[in-house]
Amino acid sequence: EANANTSSVPAGLGNPGNTKDKELDELMKLIALELRSDTPKSSRDNDRIPENNSKQFSARILRPISKMFEAKGSERYIGNPRVRAWIVHGLRSRDPTVSGGVCRLLTRCVENQVSATALLLEPNDIFLAMLTNICDADIEISVPASNLLREMSKRNKGVASKFYTDKRVFTAIQSGELTEVRLRTLELGASLSVSSRDGPKPYFASDLFKTTLKLVSRGPDTWDPLLWPNALEILGETMRTPQGFDKVFNGSSVFQRFLKPRKDRLEDLPLSDRLNLVHHLALSSRRSRQLAWISPLTPTGRRIGAFNNYSDGSNSDGDRSSGRSSNENERHGDAYSVLTAALETCQEGLASSEETVQAMSSHGLCLIATCLRDGIREVTDSKGEEEKLSSVEQEPRHASGLYEMLKKGLLGVAEIAGTNSSGQAKVASLVGLANVIGNKYEDKNDVDNEDSRILSTLHELLVNRVSVKSIADSIQSPFEDTATAGYTLLRNAATHGWGLEAIAVTPGFIETLLDREKGAGSSPKAHEWRFATLQALAKTLRIHKGSERYIDGPTKERLLTFVRQGPYYKERAAPQVKVATATR
């Protein structure tokens, strides 16, 4: 194509009599000339553009060609041989400005033109050049090509599957390759399993998933200490879908192997690595909304829904035709064991003298408790069911015992949140407890059952353990992260009746919040957070019975007026009138 007759109008480029098409044809002639001058005759198909020519290529072709791709109907140019030659030539450049610029132009085209993805796939010259860039060691070349692939995979089926099975990708994830290249390629595969139109199933059959699972299952690598935590991060990305969570938690033994109760451990992972496992398990559960594994924690011992069974060939909705199987009871047994180990690990971390470990432990416990709060909304009672849940009937003390372990751990988190410090452990504890309590006005599908009432009592106990006075000190902190964390907990507590009461009975606190000059604190966003807290208080005042016992009429009216006026209201000073005086 680079040697094509530049005086002819390429087929499919429109009517030569049209002014805009004439302009575009001139651009096409420029491309053909530049391709011919910049490409070495001996290696036009395989070599990248030499470094000394890439700047000229960028200036003379990349800028003018962008006009063509911004035009309406620009996807029709992708099928032209000259344009395809330019695209491949640009992707092969060693200059990230050129190769990345080409990828960004194509990404905009894919976002705006329906048929662009299909044209980039067939013939596969452009797609193969993209894959070569994705597997490149230079991150500035790799990332734009990866972003282009992500956009293409969202719009057309088959894109992600082609990526999973390509030999370049298989080579890039082998142990002899650079760790950065391996991890970037594995991460891209995991993210495509979540976002692509192909869904997660082709990914589970790929070497990308098998390699990720193998790296995590092997445990930390003494030769490359960053490999295992990064592989675990990638596995957590895979678990963001219901199918992914089930495939990893129930279809493999990763968590069951490394998270074992203390009495069953033959060897220990380092504490920070076990806390990392807890974090990814609980976070993935929340993201995927797969909460059946949290059932052993329910205060009353009732199960939360049923395990989906994606990994053994049942349909994607997890429906079963014959009730709960013994396999599901085994899964609940595994979940009990994993939860026991997770709670023991977090309690061990809370007792650590290291600030980072304490923060990780607080975060892990609060994530588990938040999963429990979310799962309570999906609790199903076993009474009246044809097949009762044997584990619930035979071992009710297990559920109660685990709940007491969780409660003890959360009270430890509240102790850290109430300390007079500004460290990361305090910040993690304040934010974690805010998530555990939740914002009543943002939470959906709120339920009223025995479990939810027990949790509400626990939430009130946690805030009282931290103390509103300590939270008030936090929001006045000069450190932004501490002040923001304090306001987050305070705002969420204010959405509950017991929170309103705790705030109201703290001497002088509401008066401080209503002080527009000094009450918000020194944090840059303190006024916005203070306003959000007062908004929540005002709403709770209107719906909570008996609020007048804690907040008198004048104070209530001042609070409502504050909310009406907004966070940045300032009273206008009375105009000063100068009085003229007679002078001699």
Side-chain angles (χ1 to χ4, degrees), residues 341-520:
L343 293 174
E344 288 177 350
T345 296
C346 291
Q347 287 183 340
E348 183 182 345
L350 288 181
S352 171
S353 58
E354 295 184 25
E355 182 93 4
T356 302
V357 174
Q358 279 192 345
M360 292 176 68
S361 303
S362 296
H363 178 70
L365 275 167
C366 291
L367 266 178
I368 293 172
T370 306
C371 286
L372 177 61
R373 190 203 70 201
D374 293 345
I376 289 299
R377 300 187 179 98
E378 301 178 17
V379 169
T380 55
D381 199 336
S382 61
K383 292 181 181 179
E385 289 184 357
E386 189 174 332
E387 185 179 356
K388 291 193 175 183
L389 312 179
S390 59
S391 64
V392 173
E393 294 173 344
Q394 295 172 9
E395 301 175 330
R397 66 183 185 280
H398 283 176
S400 175
L402 284 186
Y403 175 74
E404 290 301 319
M405 283 181 67
L406 175 65
K407 180 179 176 180
K408 179 181 177 181
L410 289 174
L411 288 172
V413 174
E415 291 285 351
I416 295 174
T419 57
N420 185 23
S421 71
S422 299
Q424 57 179 317
K426 179 183 178 74
V427 172
S429 299
L430 287 169
V431 173
L433 290 175
N435 290 332
V436 170
I437 292 168
N439 185 323
K440 186 176 181 180
Y441 304 132
E442 293 178 357
D443 290 340
K444 297 179 181 179
N445 303 322
D446 199 15
V447 296
D448 182 17
N449 56 36
E450 187 177 354
D451 286 300
S452 65
R453 289 190 289 272
I454 293 173
L455 282 189
S456 180
T457 302
L458 173 61
H459 297 164
E460 181 178 1
L461 176 62
L462 292 174
V463 171
N464 288 335
R465 179 64 63 92
V466 178
S467 86
V468 174
K469 184 180 183 305
S470 174
I471 300 173
D473 292 339
S474 297
I475 67 176
Q476 297 293 332
S477 171
F479 300 102
E480 184 177 358
D481 55 350
T482 304
T484 301
Y487 266 122
T488 305
L489 178 56
L490 185 65
R491 188 273 314 272
N492 284 5
T495 64
H496 300 270
W498 52 262
L500 168 65
E501 295 175 12
I503 292 170
V505 298
T506 302
F509 185 42
I510 291 184
E511 290 294 326
T512 301
L513 288 175
L514 293 175
D515 183 350
R516 285 195 176 270
E517 294 298 323
K518 301 178 181 179

Side-chain angles (χ1 to χ4, degrees), residues 313-327:
S314 65
N315 64 48
S316 61
D317 293 325
D319 293 336
R320 299 171 186 272
S321 57
S322 57
R324 294 180 175 86
S325 64
S326 59
N327 184 41

Side-chain angles (χ1 to χ4, degrees), residues 220 268-275:
D268 267 350
L269 276 178
L271 178 58
S272 59
D273 289 332
R274 282 184 281 130
L275 288 170

